[in-house]
Amino acid sequence: MVLRAIETRLERLFEGVFGRAFRANVQPVELARKLAKEMDDHRSVSVSRVYVPNEYIVYLSPADREQFEGYESSLVAELEEFLSDHAQRESYALLTPPRVRFETDGDLDVGEFGIATKTAQPSRRRAPEGAPEEELQPGATMVYRPRTQPTEAVSLEEMGVGRQVAVLTWNGRRYVLDKRRVLLGRSREADVQIEDPNVSRRHAELVQEGSSYWIVDLGSTNGTEVNGRRVQRAQLENGSTITLGGTTVTFTTERE
C-alpha cells in the first residue's frame, strides 16, 4: 500500500503535468520505478545493515534527453527524493543521500533508457564498518525499452508550468541557485559576495541534497543564523532568513 501511494503521488505529479511531453515513452514515473528496482537489485548485506547504491546514472537517447530541457533539475530532485523515501521504507543503509544524474547515449533508440548504479564513499569521511567498497561494474547498465505507444509532445507553455528555482535575495540583490554548492562570503571568489565587514571571506555554503537545501557554516567568525537561531547546519524552507554578520539573506523557491 505504501509503494502504491508513492507511485500514485508520482503519477499525479508527473504524468498529469509532464506525461504528454515525451515523444517516446520515457515517463518520469517509469524512471522512478526502475530506479527503485535497481536499488533493490544491487543490495549489499553487511553484518547489521543492508547497503544500497547511492549514485544512479540514467542514460537517455539524444531525442529523449532533449524533452527534459528546462525542468531536468526539478525532475532529478524528485527522483532523488523518491529514492530516499524508498530506502527509508525498506530500511536500507545509504552512504550519502541518493544522487541521480542524466547522461546522453547516442546508441540508445528513442524510448529506451539505461540505468547504472554506483556505491560511492562519502568524501572526507570514513565509511561505516561493513560498508561496500566503491564500485561501478563494467557492463552493469540495465537497458529498459518502452512497452507502450509514443505520446504527443507539448511545450512547457502548453502545460502551464515552468522550472522551479531557488533564489537568494539581500540588499536589493538577487541570485538564482544554478548549482548544488554555492559559497557565500566576502571573498571575490564567493558565488554570493556579501560586502559586509562582519561577514567572513568564506562564511557559509548552501548545499542542495535531493530536493532539500541546507546552509552550512564554514567556521565563520560571527556565525550563521537561520530564522534568528544560531546554527552550524540547517535545512532551509521557502521564506527562511539567513543572517550572516549584519546582513540578512532570504531564501525562496519559485517557478520561472
Side-chain angles (χ1 to χ4, degrees):
M1 293 295 293
V2 177
L3 177 59
R4 183 56 195 161
I6 293 175
E7 289 180 344
T8 300
R9 179 172 69 87
L10 276 167
E11 287 169 355
R12 289 174 179 173
L13 177 63
F14 286 127
E15 292 186 341
V17 178
F18 300 123
R20 294 186 301 120
F22 299 91
R23 295 186 177 89
N25 289 316
V26 178
Q27 299 291 335
V29 69
E30 185 65 15
L31 288 178
R33 289 170 181 159
K34 297 306 183 185
L35 284 166
K37 179 180 183 300
E38 291 299 309
M39 176 179 281
D40 294 337
D41 289 348
H42 291 84
R43 290 171 292 183
S44 177
V45 181
S46 69
V47 175
S48 59
R49 295 183 177 183
V50 178
Y51 287 93
V52 291
N54 55 343
E55 292 194 0
Y56 298 80
I57 304 175
V58 178
Y59 295 95
L60 298 164
S61 70
D64 286 335
R65 179 77 183 277
E66 184 180 356
Q67 306 305 315
F68 292 107
E69 185 178 1
Y71 52 88
E72 181 175 304
S73 60
S74 296
L75 175 57
V76 166
E78 289 292 344
L79 292 174
E80 290 173 340
E81 182 179 5
F82 174 76
L83 286 175
S84 292
D85 292 344
H86 182 70
Q88 183 176 11
R89 187 178 66 255
E90 299 296 332
S91 299
Y92 292 152
L94 288 157
L95 298 181
T96 66
R99 295 190 289 266
V100 176
R101 187 172 84 246
F102 286 171
E103 297 286 351
T104 303
D105 187 340
D107 292 333
L108 290 173
D109 292 331
V110 174
E112 296 180 347
F113 64 93
I115 299 176
T117 64
K118 181 179 181 181
T119 301
Q121 302 288 358
S123 59
R124 300 180 183 177
R125 295 182 187 176
R126 183 176 179 180
E129 185 175 353
E133 296 294 330
E134 182 171 340
E135 60 179 8
L136 180 58
Q137 296 295 336
T141 303
M142 178 64 70
V143 176
Y144 294 94
R145 292 177 171 81
R147 292 177 295 177
T148 56
Q149 294 300 315
T151 53
E152 179 187 1
V154 295
S155 66
L156 287 175
E157 290 75 15
E158 290 175 308
M159 292 187 288
V161 298
R163 182 170 64 97
Q164 183 170 324
V165 295
V167 179
L168 298 178
T169 54
W170 75 101
N171 296 339
R173 302 180 64 182
R174 171 185 169 92
Y175 180 90
V176 177
L177 277 69
D178 56 358
K179 53 186 178 180
R180 290 186 176 273
R181 291 183 177 273
V182 173
L183 177 64
L184 294 82
R186 191 162 40 86
S187 169
R188 292 185 177 180
E189 285 70 42
D191 301 295
V192 176
Q193 185 180 8
I194 300 176
E195 298 174 355
D196 182 337
N198 294 313
V199 172
S200 298
R201 292 177 58 80
R202 295 174 57 86
H203 196 109
E205 187 176 49
L206 198 150
V207 181
Q208 181 183 1
E209 296 181 358
S211 59
S212 301
Y213 291 86
W214 298 76
I215 189 72
V216 181
D217 186 84
L218 299 178
S220 64
T221 302
N222 294 313
T224 301
E225 295 182 0
V226 173
N227 298 328
R229 182 171 61 89
R230 185 78 169 258
V231 300
Q232 289 296 319
R233 173 183 165 92
Q235 185 173 359
L236 301 176
E237 304 291 343
N238 186 30
S240 292
T241 58
I242 309 165
T243 302
L244 312 175
T247 301
T248 297
V249 180
T250 302
F251 172 87
T252 56
T253 57
E254 59 188 56
R255 292 201 175 273
E256 289 188 327

